[in-house]
Amino acid sequence: MYGDAELAVMLRGEFESAGESTPTELHEAYLARLRETIETVGAETVATRSGVDDEVIRAVADGESPELTLEAAAAILAADPELPPGESIAAEARDILLMGMTTAVVDVDALAAGVDIDLDPKELQQKVEGRYPVTLAEYAHVHAFLERQ
């Protein structure tokens, strides 16, 4: 579904077809990218470098969908020494959403009404801005919605 070039860093907005995917498909694509990192670097190394719980790392590696924050997903990716630090990946991911809102001329009220997640506009804004943790699933919902706009 997604090519190697698009997967250079999955949270940097390099999923060109994100607007054509459902939030569930996009979330699964994110998890697949995390699995690639875990397979390449090794589960034990990823757990050590990322600070993410070993059980969560193994669940992702086994094809499960544990609840992950954007920051945890970014930390997993950053375990690959060829990628930027996790904080940078997460910041870029949030910037993608903020720029998407600007480009699509979508305010938080419209965003909250357009995504199928149980958050009010204020909560959603705080998550997009990074003041509160956003889960990878929530990120997928917002990312897919904005790409469709």
Side-chain angles (χ1 to χ4, degrees), residues 59-140:
V60 172
D62 290 341
E64 297 174 29
S65 299
E67 186 170 297
L68 287 169
T69 63
L70 175 64
E71 287 74 14
I76 290 170
L77 288 174
D80 182 337
E82 295 183 21
L83 296 179
E87 300 83 20
S88 297
I89 295 171
E92 283 187 52
R94 284 189 301 275
D95 286 348
I96 301 275
L97 299 184
L98 292 170
M99 289 301 294
M101 290 176 69
T102 301
T103 303
V105 191
V106 174
D107 65 14
V108 290
D109 292 319
L111 182 61
V115 295
D116 187 24
I117 50 181
D118 189 26
L119 295 172
D120 67 42
K122 183 177 180 178
E123 291 171 315
L124 190 54
Q125 179 178 1
Q126 292 170 334
K127 287 180 176 246
V128 168
E129 292 175 347
R131 290 187 275 158
Y132 287 102
V134 61
T135 68
L136 198 56
E138 291 167 337
Y139 183 89

